[in-house]
Amino acid sequence: MSKIIYIPLEELPQRYTGMMNNAIYPLVDITLYPDIEIDKEIKRGQFLDIVNTTKFKAAQVQMIADLFNEGKVDNGDVFLVGDIFFPGIESIKYMSELLGINVHVYGINYAGRADKTDFVQNLSYWSDASELGYHQICDGIFVGSEDHKNNVVDYFGLNSATVHATGLIWDLGYMEGFNLRDKFQKEDFVIWPHRWCEEKGIDDLVNFAKNTKKKIVITSSGPKKDLPKLPKNIEYRYGLTKKEYYELMAKARWYLSNAYQETFGYTIQEAIFFGCQILVPNRACSPEMVPSKCVYESWEEIETKFNTEDLSVPFSYTEKWHNNAKTIINIIREECRF
């Protein structure tokens, strides 16, 4: 019987990779997670550490080669690549085609060259050809939203039928495990849980801060960074554990995003879970995540909407993403007929 071989991302406390992996592990047959030491702190990069993720993925390539070498890859098997930016994706095709083993490859895309705000835009022209190759290797690609799908399809000229807007992996059980929902009284502050970078809309945030008396809390799980001088009503909280971060989310009356880059919106799901009043910009995938009343056109509207409108979001808006991992696996099984 055909099997699904999962190539996961490394699990980092600053990111959602552990949550995603735990949702997928029970649904696959083999997981290739190398037993190597890597620094869990993201020092060079944003989503993953540039050097450490390269070490981790190199070890996974060796594990894939070992499977082929030991005769453990069969016709009809599926490789599910946890991040489509994986150099070993070429190795899978190289070995399978030259060995005459018919395998399927599926990949999860988080952002990339199709997103004009993504940090990989700093790469030179070769990366377009490389990323196009990754997508062409895949029988199917999973993305976070319809906006994300449209960007990928249009940029690379892909067959839209191969790109599935399933939402990225979201595990409601992970959130519920902290047992913090409805445990705190709401307090009068705005939570802004994003990286401090241009693609997350820091200019809009600062403009809003200068024109409101509301307290704004910026949260980060990473170490302290040297931020520019901020308006006095902005508080910077860093080095947070997930529990500390979720406690702040549970207490925040308002959630604000100013992001130009958002392909799924994990923090939006968290804010819905914790019952925040939510406001997001009319760009990227944000309008897909919430009712239209929770979308603003320009930062000048933010204060008025927070003060005059009910921006609560039904819990069903986060529940609908709960089984994304199962949805992904079901699509693979249906398309590969096993």
Side-chain angles (χ1 to χ4, degrees):
M1 182 177 177
S2 299
K3 53 190 176 289
I4 299 177
I5 302 165
Y6 178 46
I7 306 168
L9 285 166
E10 59 269 37
E11 296 177 7
L12 300 177
Q14 304 103 313
R15 294 291 176 257
Y16 300 90
T17 47
M19 176 192 72
M20 293 187 295
N21 287 343
N22 287 332
I24 295 178
Y25 287 156
L27 306 176
V28 300
D29 302 290
I30 297 175
T31 296
L32 302 182
Y33 199 100
D35 183 17
I36 63 170
E37 290 290 330
I38 59 168
D39 191 341
K40 295 297 182 74
E41 184 180 328
I42 300 174
K43 297 177 180 177
R44 300 149 296 198
Q46 296 182 359
F47 182 63
L48 298 170
D49 186 275
I50 294 164
V51 174
N52 282 321
T53 196
T54 301
K55 290 170 58 179
F56 187 84
K57 290 172 181 175
Q60 288 176 311
V61 174
Q62 181 169 337
M63 295 177 78
I64 294 166
D66 287 342
L67 286 181
F68 278 100
N69 193 46
E70 296 164 8
K72 295 180 180 178
V73 180
D74 301 305
N75 285 320
D77 285 352
V78 177
F79 286 88
L80 173 58
V81 183
D83 179 6
I84 198 171
F85 293 93
F86 175 61
I89 205 168
E90 299 175 45
S91 300
I92 294 169
K93 274 298 186 183
Y94 177 75
M95 288 183 285
S96 65
E97 291 185 1
L98 292 181
L99 291 172
I101 304 172
N102 181 28
V103 302
H104 306 281
V105 182
Y106 285 76
I108 301 175
N109 179 310
Y110 299 92
R113 295 283 288 183
D115 186 333
K116 294 180 180 178
T117 64
D118 194 80
F119 78 105
V120 298
Q121 297 298 329
N122 293 325
L123 298 173
S124 54
Y125 71 91
W126 64 267
S127 55
D128 274 338
S130 181
E131 189 174 334
L132 175 60
Y134 293 165
H135 286 85
Q136 289 177 332
I137 283 171
C138 289
D139 299 275
I141 300 150
F142 302 107
V143 297
S145 60
E146 289 296 329
D147 178 77
H148 188 187
K149 174 178 177 174
N150 292 337
N151 286 342
V152 170
V153 168
D154 293 346
Y155 192 86
F156 291 108
L158 303 177
N159 179 351
S160 63
T162 66
V163 184
H164 306 282
T166 55
L168 303 177
I169 308 302
W170 169 252
D171 183 5
L172 200 56
Y174 175 79
M175 302 288 299
E176 291 168 340
F178 285 87
N179 195 30
L180 295 173
R181 182 174 162 81
D182 301 324
K183 296 286 185 179
F184 299 93
Q185 293 292 321
K186 287 295 185 183
E187 301 175 11
D188 285 339
F189 69 88
V190 179
I191 192 167
W192 194 87
H194 298 293
R195 299 189 307 274
W196 185 261
C197 53
E198 290 185 6
E199 59 263 33
K200 292 302 183 182
I202 53 178
D203 290 341
D204 282 0
L205 172 67
V206 172
N207 283 331
F208 165 62
K210 290 178 178 177
N211 288 274
T212 184
K213 294 181 180 178
K214 289 182 173 60
K215 177 182 175 181
I216 301 166
V217 178
I218 298 174
T219 65
S220 171
S221 60
K224 183 178 181 180
K225 293 186 176 181
D226 292 328
L227 303 186
K229 185 176 181 180
L230 300 173
K232 292 182 179 179
N233 56 335
I234 293 182
E235 178 182 329
Y236 174 38
R237 300 287 297 275
Y238 55 90
L240 299 175
T241 65
K242 279 290 185 185
K243 184 178 180 182
E244 290 169 336
Y245 162 58
Y246 286 148
E247 286 179 352
L248 281 171
M249 184 73 80
K251 293 176 183 178
R253 188 174 304 280
W254 301 282
Y255 163 92
L256 176 64
S257 174
N258 307 111
Y260 287 85
Q261 181 195 47
E262 205 68 84
T263 58
F264 177 62
Y266 286 104
T267 64
I268 298 173
Q269 313 307 313
E270 291 165 337
I272 294 171
F273 181 89
F274 285 115
C276 299
Q277 299 277 306
I278 296 173
L279 201 52
V280 301
N282 188 17
R283 51 183 175 249
C285 79
S286 296
E288 298 179 44
M289 303 289 114
V290 296
S292 58
K293 66 178 182 178
C294 299
V295 178
Y296 72 86
E297 297 293 335
S298 66
W299 68 264
E300 288 91 347
E301 301 174 46
I302 295 173
E303 178 75 353
T304 299
K305 289 182 77 72
F306 273 153
N307 290 339
T308 63
E309 298 188 34
D310 176 11
L311 302 175
S312 57
V313 178
F315 191 65
S316 59
Y317 270 75
T318 192
E319 283 184 308
K320 68 182 180 179
W321 303 109
H322 176 41
N323 288 317
N324 290 356
K326 188 175 181 181
T327 299
I328 287 171
I329 298 300
N330 286 344
I331 289 172
I332 291 173
R333 290 187 177 277
E334 180 179 350
E335 292 188 347
C336 298
R337 300 179 182 178
F338 71 91

